[in-house]
Amino acid sequence: MSDYGPVQVRCPVLNVRRVDAYYAITVVAPGIAERFRSGQFVSVAVGGDHSSTLLRRPFAIHDVKPDYGGTVEFLFAVRGTGTAWLAERRSRDLLDVVGPLGRPFPLPRDPVNCVLVGGGSGSAPLFPLAQSLRRRGCRVDFVLGGASADRVFSAITARRIAETAVFTTDDGSFGTRGRVTDVLGRVIEECRSDVVYACGPMPMLRAVTAVAGTHGIPVQVSVEETMACGTGICMTCVIPVVGEDGITRMVRSCVDGPVFRGEQVRFDDVGTIPFDALGAPGWKGAGASRPAESARDIA
Amino acid sequence: MNTDLRVRLGALELPNPVVTAAGCAGSGRELAQFFDIAEIGAVTTKSVMLEPHAGRPAPRMAETPSGMLSTTGMQGPGVDVFLQRDLPWLLSRGGRAIVSVAGSGTAEFGELARRISAEPGVDAIEVNLSCPDPADPDGRRFADDAARAAAVVSTVRSHARSDLPVLAKLAADVPDVVALATACVEARADGLSMINTVRGMAVDPRTLRPAVAGGIGGLSGPAVRPLAVGCVYRVHEALPEVPIIGMGGVRTGADVVEFMAAGASAVAVGTVNFSDPSACVRVLREFTEALESRGVPRAADLVGAAHRPGTGV
């Protein structure tokens, strides 16, 4: 319907490959590839047209290439029947894909030093981001973590495209034993980072935001929240986020995110309705002082 | 063949019977990225309340076999924002608007009906009787008590513009859906929408905790379709003159045929919008093809076909 919004397409699978502990699927999707900006995601129907598995699975876009008019690659781990079905796809199978969805990572206007922090398969969207930042003359450093060596995604690529790359594993099987936040402060200082970009589980994003805060630099986080539609209509993926006006709203991760400024996400209140959120029970904001709503506020 | 897709819901004529279900299409804006919303019969908006509501905590959703459980808790910006932002947008795109209203207490429904009636361009009001009434100490739904449901419908009818159709949205998990429907019609509902989600539960096998916050969620999707078709059939049998919008697990054009044969005059597409954002136009296309292949010249001829002896239409 437009040149920039998402499209729904039946895409031929180009290939499915194992990458460390994960799978990567590349599909031919020119319309999605040409609209894509770093940080956006696709949602993929699983199980076939008459499957009892109704809901799409969201995946961050990991790579976009100009081949065949435009290809899109996304990464996933097999976690249930839907992802198990995806892992069984073969070249030339068709996948029903909607994308690109969500708000992309904002890019700095000037060349600045950026540290990209990823956990597990959450690292995937950081790679196209790194390339976008490099094209703008930014310095890029990586901090990637995972439970074990095979869950630190694409360490070799990270080393190749970044100035420095530091790795952590929970079990110490690769890089430094511990969490990404154990090394992040040192990286920020040594690389004189101006901004942090992070993607991974919510507790990691919370900890990364705290580290960035102690160093006084901004952080952009891409959240992973369960969602049914990915297009903004189901209202199931909401998290509490503080707006520029200081008011907390329950916003949709899919269309208002998945990228937010870390300090605006109320990580301690995720999974709750904060008492002071717009429209919370007992909320007293009604009347003359009600804030104006903009198109990206709650629907 | 030139199939006539027009259907009537009392005084309201729609160009075709495929509409969206409340809560499954927002106010049309998101789906409009995928198709022209003027093409479908109407958009039923997400239920609007008087004030902004933040809704329920996460997790709000769990996938179940052929369905999903959800509990968004009526999150929405309130009627002011709806009337300033969402409704004008929908009408500007040529969409027909069935505005769903939800209230805590009967008076809020009346106020909403009055406010929405004052807006030109609205095609109908749908009264959501399946939301828990915060004014009720036990958190019961209006639909749990036919007399209370009828009181809400009556209030909406008396506050709404007289030419604006009022549709009562019924719950299916009630002791007697025919009694509920009859009470709403006697309270001057112009038509009925059925069904809403059905209360259900799933337990996370890993944590052994309820899969959605609050434990109980609303089950929707193809899993509830036979229940929905059964309700439409029984109510149409009892009240053959009352127009019905049928809904519950519609996924294909064949499902629309099924609902209309059971007695629905229009059919709403709900949960499938989440998984297939183009579903409404696909379902409409499949439905049109189904009519053509059967040689049915008018969609309206299908209504109630399952009640008639013989081989259908």
Side-chain angles (χ1 to χ4, degrees):
Chain A
M1 295 296 291
S2 72
D3 293 334
Y4 57 90
V7 292
Q8 180 178 10
V9 273
R10 280 196 176 254
C11 310
V13 172
L14 199 59
N15 68 61
V16 185
R17 62 191 174 96
R18 290 295 299 263
V19 185
D20 305 320
Y22 309 107
Y23 289 85
I25 288 190
T26 307
V27 296
V28 180
I32 297 176
E34 74 188 24
R35 287 168 165 82
F36 167 72
R37 289 190 285 157
S38 303
Q40 291 184 300
F41 65 97
V42 290
S43 70
V44 183
V46 296
D49 286 348
H50 302 285
S51 170
S52 67
T53 305
L54 294 185
L55 302 179
R56 285 170 183 270
R57 304 298 190 251
F59 302 105
I61 295 175
H62 165 242
D63 198 10
V64 166
K65 286 199 176 80
D67 315 3
Y68 305 96
T71 65
V72 170
E73 184 180 76
F74 58 89
L75 188 78
F76 63 98
V78 173
R79 290 204 178 118
T81 52
T83 41
W85 180 88
L86 268 184
E88 290 164 9
R89 294 309 94 199
R90 295 292 172 261
S91 176
R92 291 194 288 277
D93 285 351
L94 292 176
L95 281 185
D96 186 326
V97 182
V98 175
L101 294 162
R103 295 164 72 89
F105 286 113
L107 300 174
R109 281 196 192 86
D110 304 312
V112 296
N113 298 341
C114 306
V115 54
L116 278 47
V117 187
S121 60
S123 308
L126 299 177
F127 289 87
L129 171 66
Q131 287 168 346
S132 301
L133 292 169
R134 289 284 302 270
R135 280 196 293 273
R136 292 191 169 218
C138 294
R139 173 187 166 122
V140 172
D141 298 283
F142 265 109
V143 177
L144 299 181
S148 52
D150 65 340
R151 293 187 177 272
V152 177
F153 175 65
S154 263
I156 295 167
T157 312
R159 277 201 181 108
R160 184 167 52 75
I161 60 179
E163 294 284 331
T164 68
V166 176
F167 308 103
T168 65
T169 48
D170 294 348
D171 64 1
S173 57
F174 179 55
T176 306
R177 180 192 295 269
R179 303 282 171 89
V180 287
T181 39
D182 296 337
V183 301
L184 179 58
R186 179 171 57 80
V187 172
I188 289 172
E189 284 172 20
E190 289 178 2
C191 303
R192 302 183 179 190
S193 308
D194 298 302
V195 57
V196 179
Y197 291 92
C199 186
M202 213 58 109
M204 188 202 99
L205 299 180
R206 175 189 181 180
V208 167
T209 298
V211 173
T214 61
H215 288 80
I217 61 174
V219 54
Q220 299 284 347
V221 299
S222 177
V223 303
E224 297 175 355
E225 190 59 45
T226 313
M227 51 182 77
C229 74
T231 55
I233 52 178
C234 78
M235 307 298 292
T236 62
C237 63
V238 296
I239 59 170
V241 172
V242 185
E244 300 288 346
D245 53 7
I247 293 171
T248 296
R249 295 178 177 82
M250 301 305 295
V251 305
R252 299 163 293 180
S253 301
C254 61
V255 291
D256 300 316
V259 178
F260 296 99
R261 274 174 53 192
E263 63 272 24
Q264 293 187 320
V265 177
R266 292 178 60 168
F267 289 107
D268 290 346
D269 298 314
V270 168
T272 74
I273 302 292
F275 73 93
D276 56 343
L278 180 73
W283 179 73
K284 298 291 186 235
S289 64
R290 182 181 301 164
E293 298 271 347
S294 70
R296 71 162 301 200
D297 292 337
I298 57 169
Chain B
M1 194 171 85
N2 236 346
T3 309
D4 182 358
L5 295 174
R6 288 173 301 170
V7 292
R8 295 200 73 85
L9 290 161
L12 174 63
E13 182 179 283
L14 300 177
N16 65 67
V18 174
V19 304
T20 65
C24 300
S27 294
R29 198 190 296 256
E30 291 84 3
L31 292 182
Q33 298 176 108
F34 299 93
F35 63 89
D36 177 2
I37 50 164
E39 278 185 41
I40 61 173
V43 171
T44 309
T45 68
K46 180 170 169 51
S47 289
V48 60
M49 300 183 77
L50 218 45
E51 295 293 334
H53 281 264
R56 299 283 287 271
R60 289 179 169 187
M61 186 273 294
E63 191 176 54
T64 58
S66 292
M68 69 178 270
L69 282 172
S70 60
T71 155
T72 58
M74 309 299 292
Q75 181 174 347
V79 71
D80 288 343
V81 173
F82 173 77
L83 294 180
Q84 284 161 20
R85 183 187 70 188
D86 298 331
L87 181 64
W89 184 90
L90 176 57
L91 299 176
S92 75
R93 295 299 173 104
R96 283 156 292 275
I98 300 173
V99 178
S100 171
V101 294
S104 49
T106 307
E108 182 171 343
F109 279 98
E111 175 64 10
L112 284 163
R114 191 185 64 75
R115 297 280 305 273
I116 286 156
S117 284
E119 298 293 320
V122 174
D123 282 289
I125 292 178
E126 183 178 271
V127 187
N128 184 350
L129 299 169
S130 307
C131 48
D133 177 9
D136 184 287
D138 301 320
R140 283 177 304 176
R141 307 167 303 177
F142 295 99
D144 288 328
D145 177 347
R148 293 188 68 224
V152 170
V153 170
S154 180
T155 301
V156 170
R157 182 65 280 171
S158 61
H159 285 76
R161 221 174 54 227
S162 59
D163 62 335
L164 198 58
V166 171
L167 311 169
K169 179 139 181 199
L170 309 183
D173 45 352
V174 292
D176 187 346
V177 72
V178 173
L180 176 63
T182 306
C184 290
V185 169
E186 286 172 353
R188 293 186 295 143
D190 300 288
L192 304 166
S193 296
M194 64 181 85
I195 61 171
N196 212 310
T197 56
V198 181
R199 286 171 298 190
M201 183 175 181
V203 173
D204 184 323
R206 195 172 43 85
T207 62
L208 302 183
R209 296 285 304 148
V212 297
I216 302 296
L219 178 64
S220 63
V224 305
R225 202 175 78 230
L227 175 61
V229 172
C231 286
V232 169
Y233 186 89
R234 286 164 56 211
V235 170
H236 182 74
E237 192 170 46
L239 305 164
E241 303 304 320
V242 178
I244 295 171
I245 304 182
M247 66 201 75
V250 172
R251 199 176 190 179
T252 67
D255 301 338
V256 177
V257 172
E258 184 183 23
F259 267 102
M260 291 185 74
S265 298
V267 176
V269 175
T271 302
V272 71
N273 289 324
F274 300 155
S275 59
D276 178 4
S278 314
C280 287
V281 284
R282 175 182 55 76
V283 165
L284 178 58
R285 186 182 67 242
E286 291 169 355
F287 172 71
T288 309
E289 288 165 3
L291 290 186
E292 286 170 359
S293 69
R294 287 170 166 273
V296 179
R298 288 177 300 272
D301 292 347
L302 274 181
V303 180
H307 297 263
R308 296 193 282 270
T311 53
V313 286

